[in-house]
Amino acid sequence: MRSIVEQRLRRVAIVGAGPSGIVTAKSLIAEACFEQIDVYEQQSSVGGTWNHSTIAPSTKIGVPQIDPNQPLEKPVWKCNVDQKVAFLTSMYGHLETNTPKPLMNFSDSPLPSTSPVFPRRHLVLKYLEKYAEDMRHLVKFHTQVEDISLEVSGSGQDVWLVRSRDLLTSSSSTIPYDAVAICSGHYTVPYIPSIPGIGEWNRTNPNIITHSRCYRDPSHFSNKKVLVVGNAASGIDIANQISNFSLNPVLNSHRSVPMFAPKSSIEGVPEIAEFLPVSSGHPRAVRFIDDRIEKEIDAALFCTGYLYSYPFLKSLPTVLVSSDGFRLQNVYQHIFYNLHPTLSFLALPMKVLPFPQAEAQAAVIARVWSGRIHLPSYSSMVAWEKARVEDKGDGKAFHQMNYPQDFIYQNKLFDWAAQTGGEVGKTAGRWDERESWLRSKLGAIKEAYAERGEEREKLTTVEELGFDFQVWLNEESGSKKE
């Protein structure tokens, strides 16, 4: 492995023009030392997963779906006349963010003061489009990256060969770069767990089991008995929406207490122990771990997350994604590929505030690649990963950061990037006490917002919901004096 210090990095490729790709490009531009920055985006616009496609997927998701090794995505629609290409994303029609405005935006561009506390998806996309205005000229739209391989030089500089294809013209090209930032997200390959009996149940009852990635509109569940599996933000939000049309209650199977409170029309049930066969005598039935049986299920929607998958990185010398798809291997600080840190990844961590964290990661990447801050030795990076596995395990928890872990990580990245001093380059925000307090209240803020019903979109500040940091601080100060 050749040290970054020994190389002159001037040509950089970014894969993806979603939030992390946009902020990475802006951070690289701000370093004022990179001669070529190309952003590859397979869609026809910026925004990544925040682009909404109303077109239903043409291919069915496997049941179960536990394999991260999936081929490159195919567009669900394209039009050469309009120069447009559309891909299926995880976005659905009535989505509103699960993060309040003060914790949602990039540090140098607040969301509009007139937008709701929890903006709907179209407002976030509009925000990203505006934020991307000064980097759009770098984007190669409707261009899909097919392969990235490392060409190692014995004496000169190693290069990454990026092979891509224009999805409208089918023309292919291969361009060398000194460094590559992967900003393609991890909401492409759905995860549907292998529960006993699920495969046979799905073959016997086709088109009943699906994944939230295919969810678009709650009206499709009218007068149906629905089982939603998973109670993270999307699971609760989708269950709440469906309950306005379905037979109630909507059953919500989960393993832990939900962060966001469901409506009264949602009934929490435990984990599924088994999808029952026809021979059980119970039609379209499941058995839960408490032995309760629910039958005649019309729709089973899995909101169980996604697997990490990078089909264009199969040429790497080591296996990048773990066999279960739950984490990346050989990465340092959830960012740098430790075998060759000129390859980096943005926005891997889960259960975090994605925009601010991507901004902090991008600042570190830009300054490491410009040579203004440095990475530790290879052995130290390997030791970090080993320690992380020992602490969090080798599965899903590796990239998860519940509060206050994300707070600590965010500020650690800020301090790392700030080692350069001066005013050159783009900085991220360092969380202060108010932001930390808001983060700790996130679930309660969302619950208070939901309780306002249709009137909630008129609320533009968390203070209107009763979450005033200054009032809390004064009360805390008063109680300490007593």
Side-chain angles (χ1 to χ4, degrees):
M1 179 187 74
R2 192 182 305 279
S3 167
I4 289 180
V5 176
E6 298 172 358
Q7 302 191 68
R8 185 174 182 271
L9 309 182
R10 292 297 177 263
R11 302 166 299 174
V12 180
I14 299 172
V15 181
S20 60
I22 294 168
V23 76
T24 298
K26 292 167 77 80
S27 297
L28 292 169
I29 292 169
E31 289 297 301
C33 71
F34 297 101
E35 298 165 1
Q36 179 182 355
I37 303 171
D38 292 332
V39 183
Y40 292 83
E41 173 52 57
Q42 63 184 11
Q43 300 190 88
S44 298
S45 57
V46 299
T49 195
W50 289 93
N51 282 286
H52 173 55
S53 171
T54 58
I55 303 172
S58 58
T59 57
K60 294 181 180 179
I61 297 171
V63 178
Q65 164 42 38
I66 57 175
D67 183 9
N69 299 306
Q70 301 296 316
L72 289 166
E73 284 187 279
K74 293 182 179 180
V76 294
W77 176 83
K78 67 178 180 179
C79 178
N80 288 65
V81 175
D82 295 332
Q83 298 285 289
K84 298 286 187 180
V85 175
F87 282 80
L88 180 69
T89 72
S90 60
M91 202 58 44
Y92 48 89
H94 301 284
L95 181 142
E96 64 185 23
T97 68
N98 55 34
T99 304
K101 276 193 309 184
L103 302 178
M104 181 81 184
N105 52 243
F106 296 111
S107 65
D108 54 354
S109 181
L111 280 151
S113 60
T114 55
S115 65
V117 176
F118 291 89
R120 289 199 178 271
R121 58 164 181 81
H122 68 281
L123 294 175
V124 178
L125 180 60
K126 185 176 180 181
Y127 167 79
L128 291 171
E129 289 171 341
K130 182 174 179 58
Y131 191 64
E133 286 177 353
D134 59 354
M135 56 74 65
R136 281 185 62 91
H137 63 287
L138 304 176
V139 184
K140 298 174 180 288
F141 289 110
H142 49 77
T143 302
Q144 187 174 57
V145 172
E146 297 181 325
D147 183 69
I148 299 174
S149 59
L150 180 63
E151 188 175 85
V152 179
S153 172
S155 56
Q157 181 157 309
D158 300 342
V159 297
W160 294 96
L161 300 178
V162 176
R163 190 182 81 233
S164 66
R165 183 175 301 278
D166 187 307
L167 295 172
L168 294 178
T169 67
S170 294
S171 61
S172 179
S173 67
T174 301
I175 300 176
Y177 295 94
D178 303 317
V180 179
I182 307 300
C183 303
S184 54
H186 45 81
Y187 297 104
T188 299
V189 177
Y191 170 61
I192 297 179
S194 183
I195 300 170
I198 192 172
E200 180 61 33
W201 200 95
N202 181 64
R203 288 186 288 272
T204 305
N205 307 288
N207 304 317
I208 289 181
I209 296 176
T210 188
H211 188 274
S212 59
R213 190 165 193 260
C214 300
Y215 173 77
R216 288 295 174 268
D217 190 277
S219 63
H220 295 157
F221 298 86
S222 293
N223 299 314
K224 291 183 178 182
K225 181 175 182 177
V226 181
L227 169 64
V228 174
V229 183
N231 70 339
S234 63
I236 294 299
D237 187 35
I238 289 172
N240 285 341
Q241 292 184 17
I242 288 174
S243 70
N244 294 321
F245 296 86
S246 66
L247 299 177
N248 286 328
V250 171
L251 303 174
N252 179 223
S253 174
H254 55 78
R255 292 183 295 182
S256 59
V257 177
M259 182 177 184
F260 304 110
K263 293 163 61 175
S264 58
S265 52
I266 312 299
E267 180 183 352
V269 292
E271 288 182 68
I272 301 171
E274 179 186 11
F275 279 78
L276 295 175
V278 175
S279 60
S280 69
H282 301 292
R284 306 193 310 277
V286 300
R287 178 175 62 84
F288 300 101
I289 59 173
D290 61 357
D291 286 332
R292 169 180 171 178
I293 292 175
E294 283 289 339
K295 60 185 180 179
E296 297 180 341
I297 292 171
D298 300 310
L301 181 59
F302 278 77
C303 301
T304 42
Y306 296 80
L307 302 176
Y308 294 98
S309 182
Y310 302 91
F312 49 83
L313 287 174
K314 291 181 179 178
S315 299
L316 290 181
T318 60
V319 176
L320 177 66
V321 179
S322 61
S323 59
D324 58 14
F326 291 152
R327 84 168 185 96
L328 266 63
Q329 302 171 129
N330 297 304
V331 290
Y332 173 65
Q333 291 290 349
H334 311 280
I335 302 173
F336 294 98
Y337 180 56
N338 60 31
L339 294 170
H340 211 295
T342 52
L343 177 66
S344 68
F345 298 85
L346 276 290
L348 294 180
M350 303 289 290
K351 299 184 182 297
V352 300
L353 305 177
F355 289 15
Q357 189 171 107
E359 184 179 27
Q361 291 178 325
V364 167
I365 290 169
R367 295 179 186 204
V368 166
W369 286 354
S370 69
R372 296 204 296 139
I373 60 175
H374 305 291
L375 291 168
S377 66
Y378 171 71
S379 60
S380 295
M381 291 191 285
V382 171
W384 177 87
E385 182 180 10
K386 182 180 179 181
R388 181 76 181 177
V389 170
E390 290 175 351
D391 182 33
K392 298 296 181 181
D394 203 19
K396 284 185 178 181
F398 183 88
H399 290 305
Q400 288 182 353
M401 294 183 189
N402 294 311
Y403 177 84
Q405 296 170 28
D406 56 344
F407 170 81
I408 295 169
Y409 180 71
Q410 175 82 12
N411 286 352
K412 182 177 181 179
L413 293 178
F414 177 91
D415 294 342
W416 188 4
Q419 290 175 8
T420 57
E423 299 180 357
V424 177
K426 183 182 181 333
T427 60
R430 193 179 201 282
W431 281 16
D432 58 21
E433 189 178 2
R434 178 177 183 271
E435 288 165 321
S436 177
W437 179 77
L438 285 173
R439 175 67 177 91
S440 71
K441 302 291 184 182
L442 198 155
I445 296 172
K446 182 69 173 180
E447 184 175 350
Y449 186 74
E451 288 175 352
R452 298 298 185 94
E454 296 302 319
E455 294 295 310
R456 67 185 185 277
E457 294 195 37
K458 297 178 182 179
L459 306 175
T460 60
T461 68
V462 294
E463 285 77 14
E464 292 174 89
L465 291 167
F467 293 87
D468 190 311
F469 173 71
Q470 196 58 52
V471 170
W472 173 83
L473 194 63
N474 292 339
E475 291 175 350
E476 283 290 295
S477 300
S479 64
K480 288 179 181 178
K481 290 178 181 179
E482 294 177 359

